[in-house]
Amino acid sequence: MEEELIDMKSDTTFIMNPNIESNDLKTSKFGRVKSVRGSVVDVTFKNSLPPIFSLLRIKDKEVSVEVLAHLDSHTVRGIALTPTQGLSREDIVLDTGGPLKAPVGKNILSRMFNIFGEPIDREEAPIDIEWRSVHRPPPSLSRRTTKSQIFETGIKVIDVLLPLERGGKAGLLGGAGVGKTVLLTEIIHNMINKQKGVSIFCGIGERCREGEELYNEMKTAGVLSNMVMIFGQMNEPPGSRFRVGHVALTMCEYFRDDEHRDVLLLIDNIFRFIQAGMEVSGLMGQMPSRLGYQPTLGTELSGLEERIASTDAGAITSIQAVYVPADDLTDPAAVHTFSHLSTSIVLSRKRASEGLFPAVDLLQSNSKMATPGIVGERHYHLAQEIKKTLARYEDLKDIIAMLGLEQLAKEDRSVVARARRLERFLTQPFFTTEQFSGIKGKLVSLEDSLEGCERILNDQFKDYPESSLYMIGGINEARLKASKKNLTG
């Protein structure tokens, strides 16, 4: 064992990162691998056992294991955070003496990391950083603020009908291919240009291609200097994907509590966190609950979500993409996620097929911020009138399909005209899709958005073609678009 300890000291890779090496090798505890079954690794220790959540490293192998259970007085069971190829019984295991840690500090800005805090942007490791445990309690109630504030995004449909809360949690819900990631990246683009805070992007189960595209887009847009990216990629083991969210939150808490800055945390995709937890639970041999989900789903999700909060020091505002399996909003993953959100933005495949982007289902989406006491009387009544008009149009669609628009009463025809113009006005060209659509992106203030909706409801644009309101910014652009069409016509 002493020879092994000497070898460890000579290995410089064990000294660079606390996730790789114990702070004091002389007091480190050593064990041996007892069994390996996929990502599940059992390790025996002769003396005291490492606590739950301790990080273990296997000597001479690039394998890290997090302790999740004590089987008996000498054996622990853990989940590998890295692939276990090449691991064998009797391999020597080092207890690092602590849990998984994340790098924090000003120098992590503009960088991209993996779960161990190692840079994956092909640049040198940052210097003058601190390492903190990823397992941290949520802020106490005495530190939380009770005042509700609106968080403007510059996206019409969200700011008018589904306002976000500063220090709150918003969910982008939808199936595959309806535009969750595009909407998320647009919010990043708008917020970094508008706010002086920090944005942290957490990719849980993301594709490598998507991570590289996002990095290049943010670099081109010149907003990388106030941003940190962390990825637990799709091809990584479930243990890694399960912990990447905790690493991102530890970074957020540093900027909020130590730097007193507002933080925008973007998670893509929170369902992958639940899915990774389901895989870990199955590997650990826990009895599954409804639809095969882990019995600890509620606890694990709460442990992550409750750390996202607004305090006296600053606020962490989170926007989370939520994949909905088979577009079923009653799925346990979606239901549990709903309970934590102050705003739910449901994306509709039907609206996407009609070309109405962002494809937000305005009747299924909701926001707890849309009350007179928070957004103001004018904004509240305007939003209610918009929803009432769109709901009435939805009811009339079946009659229109069977009998035609001409068979409706005059008042109903007016409602349909307003609703169709509102639907088109609430579309918006995005900066992040300029290269695909060929339309320059627009950032619209809340006042301009409200004014446009108000004028449409007052029938000021009833003589304008619907197409003049499609994919524009402020309402005044409709006049220019209509006049151009008349000239070319």
Side-chain angles (χ1 to χ4, degrees), residues 55-315:
L55 189 69
L56 311 179
R57 295 282 301 185
I58 285 76
K59 186 185 181 309
D60 298 331
K61 308 276 174 71
E62 293 186 359
V63 179
S64 298
V65 177
E66 185 178 57
V67 176
L68 291 185
H70 290 174
L71 299 183
D72 55 43
S73 57
H74 292 288
T75 311
V76 297
R77 176 167 291 171
I79 288 288
L81 305 180
T82 51
T84 54
Q85 284 90 339
L87 198 60
S88 57
R89 294 177 65 184
E90 299 302 317
D91 278 347
I92 293 177
V93 179
L94 166 70
D95 172 17
T96 62
L100 179 69
K101 293 182 180 178
V104 297
K106 292 180 181 177
N107 292 333
I108 68 170
L109 288 171
S110 78
R111 303 302 303 274
M112 184 160 59
F113 298 96
N114 65 10
I115 186 179
F116 298 106
E118 298 164 345
I120 52 175
D121 51 9
R122 299 194 185 97
E123 295 186 25
E124 293 294 321
I127 57 173
D128 296 329
I129 55 173
E130 184 186 340
W131 294 85
R132 293 184 183 175
S133 168
V134 303
H135 302 283
R136 299 166 65 84
S140 62
L141 287 174
S142 59
R143 287 190 57 212
R144 298 187 184 223
T145 58
T146 55
K147 187 180 177 183
S148 294
Q149 291 179 288
I150 296 302
F151 190 80
E152 274 192 52
T153 63
I155 298 171
K156 291 181 286 189
V157 67
I158 293 176
D159 290 344
V160 173
L161 295 171
L162 308 164
L164 305 185
E165 179 186 12
R166 178 181 174 269
K169 297 174 275 284
L172 300 179
L173 294 100
V178 293
K180 295 186 298 297
T181 302
V182 171
L183 189 52
L184 213 55
T185 51
E186 182 69 10
I187 292 170
I188 296 173
H189 182 280
N190 292 359
M191 296 325 299
I192 292 182
N193 283 326
K194 221 175 152 187
Q195 306 280 343
K196 294 180 180 178
V198 176
S199 283
I200 293 182
F201 184 89
C202 174
I204 306 177
E206 282 291 279
R207 299 170 183 85
C208 308
R209 168 186 58 78
E210 291 176 340
E212 185 187 16
E213 285 174 0
L214 180 64
Y215 180 80
N216 291 331
E217 280 174 16
M218 296 300 111
K219 198 170 185 178
T220 305
V223 296
L224 206 57
S225 58
N226 280 316
M227 191 169 181
V228 184
M229 295 186 191
I230 175 161
F231 287 93
Q233 297 170 56
M234 191 176 276
N235 62 324
E236 293 180 17
S240 176
R241 286 180 272 122
F242 188 56
R243 285 290 172 236
V244 67
H246 298 91
V247 175
L249 268 165
T250 302
M251 294 176 176
C252 290
E253 287 164 346
Y254 164 80
F255 287 109
R256 180 191 66 190
D257 300 335
D258 294 44
E259 298 280 332
H260 300 288
R261 298 173 74 175
D262 282 358
V263 184
L264 179 64
L265 171 64
L266 301 120
I267 301 176
D268 191 6
N269 186 302
I270 197 69
F271 173 78
R272 305 286 178 209
F273 167 77
I274 294 170
Q275 193 176 46
M278 180 168 60
E279 292 175 50
V280 169
S281 174
L283 289 166
M284 293 297 291
Q286 294 179 346
M287 183 72 71
S289 64
R290 187 180 162 214
L291 295 184
Y293 286 102
Q294 63 271 39
T296 52
L297 189 159
T299 311
E300 290 167 359
L301 189 61
S302 297
L304 188 76
E305 296 280 9
E306 286 304 305
R307 290 171 65 181
I308 302 168
S310 179
T311 69
D312 47 12

Side-chain angles (χ1 to χ4, degrees), residues 369-384:
M369 295 296 101
T371 61
I374 297 172
V375 299
E377 292 286 345
R378 179 198 173 211
H379 185 164
Y380 172 74
H381 289 300
L382 197 56
Q384 291 298 106

